[in-house]
Each structure stands twice: as structure tokens, then as C-alpha cells.
Coordinates of all heavy atoms in Angstrom, one line a residue:
M162 N -9.0 9.4 -66.2 CA -8.3 8.1 -65.9 C -9.4 7.1 -65.5 O -10.3 7.4 -64.7 CB -7.3 8.3 -64.8 CG -6.5 7.0 -64.5 SD -5.6 7.1 -63.0 CE -4.1 7.9 -63.5
S163 N -9.3 5.9 -66.1 CA -10.3 4.9 -65.7 C -9.9 4.3 -64.4 O -8.7 4.3 -63.9 CB -10.3 3.8 -66.8 OG -9.2 2.9 -66.6
I164 N -10.9 3.6 -63.7 CA -10.6 3.0 -62.4 C -9.6 1.9 -62.6 O -8.8 1.6 -61.8 CB -11.9 2.5 -61.8 CG1 -11.6 2.1 -60.3 CG2 -12.6 1.4 -62.6 CD1 -12.8 2.0 -59.5
L165 N -9.6 1.2 -63.8 CA -8.6 0.2 -64.1 C -7.2 0.7 -64.1 O -6.3 0.1 -63.5 CB -9.0 -0.5 -65.4 CG -8.5 -1.9 -65.6 CD1 -9.0 -2.9 -64.6 CD2 -8.9 -2.4 -67.0
D166 N -7.0 1.8 -64.6 CA -5.7 2.4 -64.6 C -5.2 2.8 -63.2 O -4.1 2.6 -62.8 CB -5.7 3.7 -65.4 CG -5.8 3.4 -66.9 OD1 -5.4 2.3 -67.4 OD2 -6.2 4.3 -67.7
S167 N -6.1 3.3 -62.4 CA -5.8 3.7 -61.1 C -5.5 2.5 -60.2 O -4.7 2.7 -59.2 CB -6.9 4.6 -60.5 OG -8.0 3.8 -60.2
L168 N -6.0 1.4 -60.5 CA -5.8 0.2 -59.7 C -4.6 -0.6 -60.1 O -4.0 -1.3 -59.3 CB -7.0 -0.7 -59.8 CG -8.2 -0.3 -58.9 CD1 -9.4 -1.0 -59.4 CD2 -7.9 -0.7 -57.4
S169 N -4.2 -0.4 -61.3 CA -3.2 -1.4 -61.9 C -1.8 -1.3 -61.3 O -1.0 -2.2 -61.4 CB -3.1 -1.2 -63.4 OG -2.6 0.1 -63.7
G170 N -1.5 -0.2 -60.6 CA -0.2 0.0 -60.0 C -0.2 -0.6 -58.6 O 0.9 -0.6 -57.9
G171 N -1.3 -1.1 -58.1 CA -1.4 -1.5 -56.7 C -0.3 -2.3 -56.1 O 0.4 -1.8 -55.2
P172 N 0.0 -3.5 -56.6 CA 0.9 -4.4 -55.9 C 2.3 -3.8 -55.9 O 3.1 -4.2 -55.0 CB 0.9 -5.7 -56.8 CG -0.5 -5.7 -57.4 CD -0.8 -4.2 -57.6
E173 N 2.7 -2.9 -56.8 CA 4.0 -2.3 -56.7 C 4.2 -1.4 -55.5 O 5.4 -1.1 -55.2 CB 4.2 -1.4 -58.0 CG 4.7 -2.3 -59.2 CD 3.9 -2.0 -60.4 OE1 3.6 -0.9 -60.7 OE2 3.6 -3.0 -61.1
A174 N 3.2 -1.0 -54.9 CA 3.3 -0.1 -53.7 C 3.5 -0.9 -52.4 O 3.6 -0.3 -51.4 CB 2.0 0.7 -53.6
T175 N 3.7 -2.2 -52.5 CA 3.9 -3.0 -51.3 C 5.3 -3.0 -50.8 O 6.2 -2.9 -51.6 CB 3.4 -4.5 -51.6 OG1 4.2 -5.0 -52.6 CG2 2.0 -4.5 -52.0
G176 N 5.4 -3.1 -49.5 CA 6.7 -3.2 -48.9 C 7.2 -4.7 -48.8 O 6.5 -5.6 -49.3
P177 N 8.4 -4.9 -48.3 CA 8.9 -6.3 -48.3 C 8.2 -7.2 -47.4 O 8.2 -8.4 -47.6 CB 10.4 -6.1 -47.9 CG 10.4 -4.7 -47.2 CD 9.3 -3.9 -47.8
D178 N 7.6 -6.7 -46.3 CA 7.1 -7.6 -45.3 C 5.6 -7.7 -45.3 O 5.0 -8.6 -44.8 CB 7.5 -7.1 -43.9 CG 9.0 -7.2 -43.7 OD1 9.6 -8.2 -44.2 OD2 9.6 -6.3 -43.2
R179 N 5.0 -6.6 -45.8 CA 3.5 -6.6 -45.8 C 3.0 -6.4 -47.2 O 3.5 -5.6 -47.9 CB 3.0 -5.4 -44.9 CG 2.8 -5.8 -43.5 CD 2.2 -4.6 -42.8 NE 0.7 -4.7 -42.7 CZ -0.1 -3.6 -42.6 NH1 0.4 -2.4 -42.7 NH2 -1.4 -3.8 -42.4
T180 N 1.9 -7.1 -47.5 CA 1.3 -6.9 -48.8 C 0.0 -6.1 -48.6 O -0.8 -6.6 -47.8 CB 1.0 -8.2 -49.5 OG1 2.2 -9.0 -49.5 CG2 0.5 -8.1 -50.9
I181 N -0.1 -5.0 -49.2 CA -1.3 -4.1 -48.9 C -2.3 -4.3 -50.0 O -2.0 -4.4 -51.2 CB -0.8 -2.6 -48.8 CG1 0.3 -2.5 -47.7 CG2 -2.0 -1.7 -48.5 CD1 -0.1 -2.9 -46.3
C182 N -3.5 -4.2 -49.6 CA -4.7 -4.3 -50.5 C -4.5 -3.4 -51.7 O -4.1 -2.2 -51.6 CB -5.9 -4.0 -49.7 SG -7.4 -3.9 -50.7
S183 N -4.9 -3.8 -52.9 CA -4.8 -3.0 -54.1 C -5.8 -1.9 -54.2 O -5.7 -1.0 -55.1 CB -4.9 -3.9 -55.4 OG -3.8 -4.8 -55.4
R184 N -6.9 -2.1 -53.5 CA -8.0 -1.1 -53.6 C -7.4 0.3 -53.2 O -6.8 0.4 -52.2 CB -9.1 -1.5 -52.6 CG -10.3 -0.6 -52.6 CD -11.2 -0.9 -53.8 NE -12.5 -0.3 -53.6 CZ -12.9 0.9 -54.0 NH1 -12.0 1.7 -54.7 NH2 -14.1 1.3 -53.7
K185 N -7.7 1.2 -54.0 CA -7.2 2.6 -53.8 C -7.6 3.1 -52.4 O -8.7 2.9 -52.0 CB -7.7 3.5 -54.9 CG -6.8 4.7 -55.2 CD -7.2 5.3 -56.5 CE -6.4 6.6 -56.7 NZ -5.0 6.3 -56.9
A186 N -6.6 3.6 -51.7 CA -6.9 4.2 -50.4 C -7.1 3.2 -49.3 O -7.3 3.6 -48.1 CB -8.0 5.2 -50.4
C187 N -7.0 1.9 -49.6 CA -7.1 0.9 -48.5 C -5.7 0.6 -48.1 O -4.8 0.3 -48.9 CB -7.8 -0.3 -49.1 SG -8.0 -1.6 -47.8
R188 N -5.5 0.6 -46.8 CA -4.2 0.2 -46.2 C -4.2 -1.1 -45.5 O -3.3 -1.4 -44.7 CB -3.7 1.4 -45.3 CG -3.7 2.8 -45.9 CD -2.8 2.8 -47.2 NE -1.4 2.5 -46.9 CZ -0.6 2.1 -47.9 NH1 -1.0 2.0 -49.1 NH2 0.7 1.9 -47.6
A189 N -5.2 -1.8 -45.7 CA -5.3 -3.1 -45.0 C -4.4 -4.2 -45.6 O -4.1 -4.1 -46.7 CB -6.8 -3.6 -45.0
E190 N -4.0 -5.1 -44.8 CA -3.1 -6.2 -45.2 C -3.9 -7.1 -46.2 O -5.0 -7.5 -45.9 CB -2.6 -7.0 -44.1 CG -1.5 -7.9 -44.5 CD -0.6 -8.3 -43.3 OE1 -0.9 -7.9 -42.2 OE2 0.4 -9.0 -43.5
A191 N -3.3 -7.5 -47.3 CA -4.0 -8.3 -48.3 C -4.0 -9.7 -47.8 O -3.0 -10.3 -47.3 CB -3.3 -8.2 -49.6
E192 N -5.1 -10.4 -48.1 CA -5.2 -11.8 -47.7 C -5.6 -12.7 -49.0 O -5.5 -13.9 -48.9 CB -6.3 -12.0 -46.7 CG -6.0 -11.4 -45.4 CD -7.1 -11.6 -44.3 OE1 -7.7 -12.6 -44.4 OE2 -7.4 -10.6 -43.6
W193 N -5.9 -12.0 -50.1 CA -6.3 -12.7 -51.3 C -5.5 -12.2 -52.5 O -5.1 -11.0 -52.5 CB -7.8 -12.5 -51.5 CG -8.6 -13.0 -50.4 CD1 -9.1 -12.3 -49.4 CD2 -9.1 -14.3 -50.2 NE1 -9.8 -13.1 -48.5 CE2 -9.8 -14.4 -49.1 CE3 -8.9 -15.5 -51.0 CZ2 -10.4 -15.6 -48.6 CZ3 -9.5 -16.7 -50.5 CH2 -10.3 -16.7 -49.3
Q194 N -5.3 -13.0 -53.5 CA -4.8 -12.6 -54.7 C -5.8 -12.9 -55.8 O -6.3 -14.0 -55.9 CB -3.4 -13.2 -55.0 CG -3.3 -14.7 -54.9 CD -1.9 -15.2 -55.1 OE1 -1.1 -14.6 -55.8 NE2 -1.6 -16.3 -54.5
L195 N -6.0 -11.9 -56.7 CA -7.0 -12.1 -57.8 C -6.2 -12.1 -59.1 O -5.5 -11.2 -59.4 CB -8.0 -10.9 -57.8 CG -9.0 -10.9 -56.6 CD1 -8.5 -10.0 -55.5 CD2 -10.4 -10.6 -57.1
L196 N -6.3 -13.2 -59.8 CA -5.6 -13.4 -61.0 C -6.5 -13.0 -62.2 O -7.6 -13.5 -62.2 CB -5.1 -14.8 -61.2 CG -3.8 -15.2 -60.5 CD1 -3.9 -15.0 -59.0 CD2 -3.5 -16.7 -60.7
W197 N -6.0 -12.1 -63.1 CA -6.9 -11.7 -64.2 C -6.0 -11.5 -65.4 O -4.8 -11.5 -65.4 CB -7.6 -10.4 -63.8 CG -6.8 -9.2 -63.5 CD1 -6.2 -9.0 -62.3 CD2 -6.5 -8.1 -64.3 NE1 -5.5 -7.8 -62.4 CE2 -5.7 -7.2 -63.6 CE3 -6.8 -7.8 -65.7 CZ2 -5.2 -6.1 -64.2 CZ3 -6.3 -6.6 -66.2 CH2 -5.5 -5.8 -65.5
N198 N -6.7 -11.4 -66.5 CA -6.1 -11.3 -67.8 C -7.0 -10.4 -68.7 O -8.2 -10.7 -68.8 CB -5.9 -12.7 -68.4 CG -5.4 -12.6 -69.9 OD1 -6.2 -12.4 -70.8 ND2 -4.1 -12.9 -70.1
N199 N -6.4 -9.5 -69.4 CA -7.2 -8.7 -70.3 C -6.8 -9.1 -71.7 O -5.7 -8.8 -72.2 CB -6.9 -7.2 -70.1 CG -7.7 -6.3 -71.0 OD1 -8.3 -6.8 -72.0 ND2 -7.8 -5.0 -70.7
P200 N -7.7 -9.9 -72.4 CA -7.4 -10.4 -73.7 C -7.0 -9.3 -74.8 O -6.4 -9.6 -75.8 CB -8.6 -11.2 -74.1 CG -9.7 -10.8 -73.2 CD -9.0 -10.2 -71.9
K201 N -7.5 -8.1 -74.5 CA -7.2 -7.0 -75.5 C -5.7 -6.6 -75.4 O -5.2 -6.1 -76.4 CB -8.1 -5.8 -75.2 CG -9.5 -6.1 -75.6 CD -10.4 -4.8 -75.3 CE -11.8 -5.1 -75.4 NZ -12.7 -4.2 -74.7
I202 N -5.1 -6.7 -74.3 CA -3.7 -6.2 -74.1 C -2.7 -7.3 -73.7 O -1.5 -7.1 -73.7 CB -3.6 -5.0 -73.2 CG1 -4.2 -5.3 -71.8 CG2 -4.3 -3.8 -73.8 CD1 -4.0 -4.2 -70.8
H203 N -3.2 -8.4 -73.2 CA -2.3 -9.5 -72.7 C -2.4 -10.7 -73.5 O -3.5 -11.0 -74.0 CB -2.7 -9.8 -71.2 CG -2.6 -8.7 -70.3 ND1 -3.6 -8.4 -69.4 CD2 -1.7 -7.7 -70.1 CE1 -3.3 -7.3 -68.7 NE2 -2.1 -6.9 -69.1
T204 N -1.3 -11.5 -73.6 CA -1.4 -12.8 -74.2 C -2.2 -13.7 -73.3 O -2.3 -13.5 -72.1 CB 0.0 -13.4 -74.4 OG1 0.7 -13.4 -73.2 CG2 0.7 -12.6 -75.5
P205 N -2.9 -14.8 -73.8 CA -3.8 -15.6 -73.0 C -3.2 -16.2 -71.8 O -3.9 -16.4 -70.8 CB -4.3 -16.7 -74.0 CG -4.0 -16.1 -75.4 CD -2.8 -15.2 -75.2
D206 N -1.9 -16.5 -71.8 CA -1.3 -17.1 -70.6 C -0.8 -16.1 -69.6 O -0.3 -16.5 -68.5 CB -0.2 -18.1 -71.0 CG 0.9 -17.4 -71.8 OD1 0.6 -16.3 -72.4 OD2 2.0 -17.9 -71.9
R207 N -0.9 -14.9 -69.9 CA -0.4 -13.8 -69.0 C -1.4 -13.7 -67.8 O -2.6 -13.8 -68.0 CB -0.3 -12.5 -69.8 CG 0.1 -11.3 -68.9 CD 1.6 -11.0 -69.1 NE 1.9 -9.9 -68.2 CZ 2.0 -8.6 -68.6 NH1 1.8 -8.3 -69.9 NH2 2.3 -7.6 -67.8
R208 N -0.9 -13.5 -66.6 CA -1.7 -13.3 -65.5 C -1.3 -12.0 -64.7 O -0.1 -11.9 -64.3 CB -1.7 -14.4 -64.5 CG -2.4 -15.7 -65.0 CD -3.9 -15.5 -65.0 NE -4.5 -16.7 -65.5 CZ -4.7 -17.0 -66.8 NH1 -4.3 -16.1 -67.7 NH2 -5.3 -18.1 -67.2
K209 N -2.2 -11.1 -64.6 CA -2.0 -9.9 -63.8 C -2.5 -10.3 -62.4 O -3.5 -11.0 -62.3 CB -2.7 -8.7 -64.3 CG -2.2 -8.2 -65.6 CD -0.9 -7.5 -65.5 CE -1.1 -6.1 -64.9 NZ 0.2 -5.4 -64.8
I210 N -1.9 -9.8 -61.4 CA -2.3 -10.1 -60.0 C -2.6 -8.9 -59.2 O -1.8 -8.0 -59.2 CB -1.3 -11.0 -59.3 CG1 -1.0 -12.3 -60.0 CG2 -1.7 -11.2 -57.8 CD1 0.1 -13.1 -59.4
W211 N -3.8 -8.8 -58.7 CA -4.1 -7.8 -57.7 C -4.2 -8.5 -56.3 O -4.7 -9.6 -56.3 CB -5.5 -7.2 -58.0 CG -5.5 -6.2 -59.1 CD1 -4.4 -5.6 -59.7 CD2 -6.6 -5.6 -59.8 NE1 -4.8 -4.8 -60.7 CE2 -6.1 -4.8 -60.7 CE3 -8.0 -5.8 -59.6 CZ2 -7.0 -4.0 -61.6 CZ3 -8.9 -5.1 -60.4 CH2 -8.4 -4.2 -61.4
V212 N -3.8 -7.9 -55.3 CA -4.0 -8.4 -54.0 C -5.0 -7.6 -53.2 O -5.2 -6.4 -53.5 CB -2.6 -8.4 -53.2 CG1 -1.6 -9.3 -53.9 CG2 -2.1 -7.0 -53.1
A213 N -5.8 -8.3 -52.4 CA -6.9 -7.6 -51.7 C -7.0 -8.1 -50.3 O -6.8 -9.2 -50.0 CB -8.2 -7.8 -52.5
C214 N -7.5 -7.2 -49.4 CA -7.9 -7.6 -48.1 C -9.2 -8.3 -48.1 O -9.9 -8.4 -49.2 CB -8.0 -6.3 -47.2 SG -9.4 -5.2 -47.6
D215 N -9.6 -8.9 -47.0 CA -10.8 -9.7 -47.0 C -12.0 -8.9 -47.4 O -12.9 -9.3 -48.1 CB -11.0 -10.2 -45.5 CG -11.7 -11.5 -45.5 OD1 -11.5 -12.3 -46.4 OD2 -12.4 -11.8 -44.5
E216 N -12.0 -7.6 -47.0 CA -13.2 -6.7 -47.3 C -13.3 -6.4 -48.8 O -14.4 -6.3 -49.3 CB -13.0 -5.4 -46.5 CG -14.2 -4.5 -46.6 CD -14.0 -3.2 -45.9 OE1 -13.0 -3.1 -45.1 OE2 -14.7 -2.2 -46.2
H217 N -12.2 -6.3 -49.5 CA -12.2 -5.8 -50.9 C -12.1 -6.9 -51.9 O -12.2 -6.7 -53.1 CB -11.2 -4.8 -51.1 CG -11.5 -3.5 -50.4 ND1 -10.6 -2.8 -49.6 CD2 -12.6 -2.8 -50.4 CE1 -11.2 -1.8 -49.1 NE2 -12.4 -1.7 -49.5
A218 N -11.7 -8.2 -51.5 CA -11.5 -9.2 -52.5 C -12.8 -9.5 -53.3 O -12.7 -9.6 -54.5 CB -11.2 -10.5 -51.8
G219 N -14.0 -9.5 -52.7 CA -15.2 -9.7 -53.4 C -15.5 -8.5 -54.3 O -16.0 -8.7 -55.4
W220 N -15.2 -7.3 -53.9 CA -15.4 -6.1 -54.7 C -14.6 -6.2 -56.0 O -15.0 -5.9 -57.1 CB -15.1 -4.9 -53.8 CG -15.5 -3.6 -54.5 CD1 -16.6 -2.9 -54.4 CD2 -14.6 -2.8 -55.4 NE1 -16.5 -1.8 -55.2 CE2 -15.4 -1.7 -55.8 CE3 -13.3 -3.0 -55.9 CZ2 -14.8 -0.7 -56.7 CZ3 -12.8 -2.1 -56.8 CH2 -13.6 -1.0 -57.2
L221 N -13.3 -6.5 -55.8 CA -12.4 -6.6 -57.0 C -12.8 -7.7 -57.9 O -12.7 -7.5 -59.1 CB -11.0 -6.7 -56.5 CG -10.4 -5.4 -55.9 CD1 -9.1 -5.7 -55.1 CD2 -10.1 -4.4 -57.0
Q222 N -13.2 -8.8 -57.3 CA -13.6 -10.0 -58.2 C -14.8 -9.6 -59.0 O -14.9 -9.9 -60.2 CB -13.9 -11.2 -57.3 CG -14.3 -12.4 -58.2 CD -14.4 -13.7 -57.3 OE1 -13.6 -13.9 -56.4 NE2 -15.4 -14.5 -57.7
E223 N -15.8 -8.9 -58.4 CA -17.0 -8.4 -59.1 C -16.6 -7.5 -60.2 O -17.1 -7.6 -61.3 CB -17.9 -7.8 -58.1 CG -19.2 -7.2 -58.7 CD -20.1 -8.4 -59.0 OE1 -20.0 -9.5 -58.5 OE2 -21.0 -8.1 -59.8
F224 N -15.7 -6.6 -59.9 CA -15.2 -5.6 -60.9 C -14.6 -6.3 -62.1 O -14.9 -5.9 -63.2 CB -14.1 -4.7 -60.2 CG -13.5 -3.7 -61.1 CD1 -14.0 -2.4 -61.3 CD2 -12.3 -4.0 -61.7 CE1 -13.4 -1.5 -62.1 CE2 -11.7 -3.1 -62.5 CZ -12.2 -1.8 -62.7
L225 N -13.7 -7.3 -61.8 CA -13.1 -8.0 -62.9 C -14.0 -8.9 -63.7 O -14.0 -9.0 -64.9 CB -11.9 -8.8 -62.4 CG -10.7 -8.0 -61.8 CD1 -9.8 -8.9 -61.0 CD2 -10.0 -7.3 -63.0
T226 N -14.9 -9.5 -63.0 CA -15.9 -10.4 -63.6 C -16.8 -9.7 -64.6 O -17.1 -10.1 -65.7 CB -16.7 -11.1 -62.5 OG1 -15.9 -11.9 -61.7 CG2 -17.8 -12.1 -63.2
Q227 N -17.2 -8.5 -64.1 CA -18.1 -7.7 -65.0 C -17.4 -7.3 -66.3 O -18.1 -7.1 -67.3 CB -18.5 -6.4 -64.3 CG -19.6 -6.7 -63.2 CD -19.9 -5.4 -62.4 OE1 -19.3 -4.4 -62.6 NE2 -20.9 -5.5 -61.5
R228 N -16.1 -7.2 -66.3 CA -15.4 -6.8 -67.5 C -14.8 -8.0 -68.3 O -14.1 -7.9 -69.2 CB -14.3 -5.9 -67.1 CG -14.8 -4.5 -66.8 CD -13.9 -3.7 -65.9 NE -14.5 -2.4 -65.6 CZ -15.5 -2.3 -64.7 NH1 -15.9 -3.3 -64.0 NH2 -16.0 -1.1 -64.5
G229 N -15.1 -9.2 -67.8 CA -14.7 -10.5 -68.4 C -13.2 -10.7 -68.3 O -12.5 -11.4 -69.1
L230 N -12.6 -10.1 -67.2 CA -11.1 -10.2 -67.0 C -10.7 -11.2 -65.9 O -9.6 -11.7 -65.9 CB -10.6 -8.8 -66.6 CG -10.9 -7.7 -67.5 CD1 -10.3 -6.4 -66.9 CD2 -10.4 -7.9 -68.9
W231 N -11.7 -11.5 -65.1 CA -11.4 -12.4 -63.9 C -11.0 -13.8 -64.2 O -11.7 -14.4 -65.1 CB -12.5 -12.3 -62.9 CG -12.3 -13.1 -61.7 CD1 -11.5 -12.8 -60.6 CD2 -12.8 -14.4 -61.4 NE1 -11.5 -13.8 -59.7 CE2 -12.3 -14.8 -60.1 CE3 -13.6 -15.3 -62.1 CZ2 -12.6 -16.0 -59.5 CZ3 -14.0 -16.5 -61.5 CH2 -13.5 -16.9 -60.2
K232 N -10.0 -14.4 -63.6 CA -9.6 -15.8 -63.8 C -9.7 -16.6 -62.6 O -10.3 -17.7 -62.6 CB -8.2 -15.8 -64.3 CG -8.0 -15.2 -65.7 CD -8.7 -16.0 -66.8 CE -8.5 -15.4 -68.2 NZ -9.4 -16.0 -69.2
E233 N -9.2 -16.1 -61.5 CA -9.1 -16.9 -60.3 C -8.9 -16.0 -59.0 O -8.2 -15.0 -59.1 CB -7.9 -17.8 -60.4 CG -8.2 -19.3 -60.4 CD -6.9 -20.1 -60.4 OE1 -5.9 -19.8 -61.1 OE2 -6.9 -21.1 -59.7
T234 N -9.4 -16.4 -57.9 CA -9.1 -15.8 -56.6 C -8.5 -16.8 -55.7 O -9.1 -17.9 -55.5 CB -10.3 -15.2 -56.0 OG1 -10.9 -14.2 -56.9 CG2 -10.0 -14.5 -54.7
L235 N -7.3 -16.6 -55.2 CA -6.6 -17.5 -54.4 C -6.2 -16.9 -53.1 O -5.9 -15.7 -53.0 CB -5.3 -18.0 -55.1 CG -5.5 -18.7 -56.4 CD1 -4.1 -18.8 -57.1 CD2 -6.2 -20.0 -56.3
P236 N -6.1 -17.7 -52.0 CA -5.5 -17.2 -50.7 C -4.1 -16.7 -51.0 O -3.3 -17.4 -51.7 CB -5.6 -18.3 -49.8 CG -6.6 -19.3 -50.4 CD -6.5 -19.1 -51.9
L237 N -3.7 -15.6 -50.4 CA -2.4 -15.0 -50.7 C -1.3 -16.0 -50.3 O -0.3 -16.2 -51.0 CB -2.3 -13.7 -50.0 CG -1.1 -12.8 -50.5 CD1 -1.1 -12.5 -52.0 CD2 -1.1 -11.5 -49.7
N238 N -1.4 -16.6 -49.1 CA -0.4 -17.4 -48.6 C -0.1 -18.7 -49.4 O 1.0 -19.1 -49.5 CB -0.7 -17.9 -47.2 CG -0.6 -16.7 -46.2 OD1 0.0 -15.7 -46.5 ND2 -1.3 -16.8 -45.1
D239 N -1.1 -19.2 -50.1 CA -0.9 -20.4 -50.9 C 0.1 -20.2 -52.0 O 0.8 -21.1 -52.4 CB -2.2 -20.8 -51.5 CG -3.0 -21.7 -50.6 OD1 -2.6 -21.7 -49.4 OD2 -3.9 -22.4 -51.0
G240 N 0.1 -19.0 -52.6 CA 1.0 -18.7 -53.7 C 2.5 -18.5 -53.3 O 3.4 -18.5 -54.1
E241 N 2.7 -18.3 -52.0 CA 4.0 -17.9 -51.5 C 4.7 -18.9 -50.6 O 5.9 -18.9 -50.4 CB 3.9 -16.6 -50.7 CG 3.4 -15.4 -51.6 CD 3.4 -14.1 -50.8 OE1 3.5 -14.1 -49.6 OE2 3.3 -13.0 -51.5
R242 N 3.9 -19.9 -50.1 CA 4.5 -20.8 -49.2 C 4.4 -22.3 -49.7 O 3.5 -22.5 -50.5 CB 3.9 -20.7 -47.8 CG 4.4 -19.5 -47.1 CD 3.5 -19.2 -45.9 NE 3.7 -17.8 -45.5 CZ 3.0 -17.2 -44.6 NH1 2.1 -17.9 -43.9 NH2 3.2 -16.0 -44.3
Ligands
LIG68 ZN1 -8.9 -3.4 -48.9

């Protein structure tokens, strides 16, 4: 299994009140959302969202950037309020 597969289920594991970091095995509360798109499997306007804690936001952005998938990183609260 690729790391992309193992990460892609992340946001679905969140509860109603807390958003947990998408990084596997991390239980920290997410503070960032990373918007990305894989042109091989998604239409250009589609956005997948990973959420990340402060510690892992940079790691995930780097991961997506290296694969040409990264679009945007936004504070989590801005998208919801
Ligand atoms: Zn984390």
C-alpha cells in the first residue's frame, strides 16, 4: 500500500467536535487544511482535503508538493466559520 492510500482516509475518522490530524497515528487536533488535487484521478476543479496539526501541516504540504498535488494550505477555522 502506498503512503497516499494510507493517508487518504484521514478526515473520515474525525468525530463531530474534534478534527484530528490526517497523519497516520497522530491524534493531535488539526489546525490546518491542505487542499490538493491529483490530475490523474480527479477533475481539475476537484479538491481533496487533508487536515493536519501544526506539527504535520508542513510535512504533508511537502509530501503533496513533491508529487505535484498540492494546491493550498488554509487555517482550518477559516473554512468553517
Ligand atoms: Zn499531526
Side-chain angles (χ1 to χ4, degrees):
M162 186 194 272
S163 79
I164 189 162
L165 202 58
D166 288 336
S167 70
L168 279 162
S169 62
E173 274 130 42
T175 58
D178 298 318
R179 267 185 100 208
T180 308
I181 304 298
C182 177
S183 297
R184 180 81 162 93
K185 207 165 174 67
C187 179
R188 305 303 299 160
E190 191 158 3
E192 296 180 35
W193 299 93
Q194 53 184 332
L195 291 97
L196 278 58
W197 62 278
N198 172 282
N199 185 345
K201 288 180 190 160
I202 56 174
H203 302 133
T204 54
D206 59 338
R207 177 99 182 264
R208 287 291 179 272
K209 296 285 288 182
I210 297 175
W211 283 348
V212 295
C214 67
D215 214 28
E216 187 183 343
H217 290 129
W220 186 93
L221 285 166
Q222 183 174 320
E223 180 73 19
F224 176 87
L225 291 167
T226 300
Q227 283 174 359
R228 285 156 184 79
L230 307 177
W231 179 78
K232 294 295 180 191
E233 246 185 315
T234 299
L235 301 169
L237 193 57
N238 289 340
D239 274 15
E241 297 183 345
R242 285 169 200 172

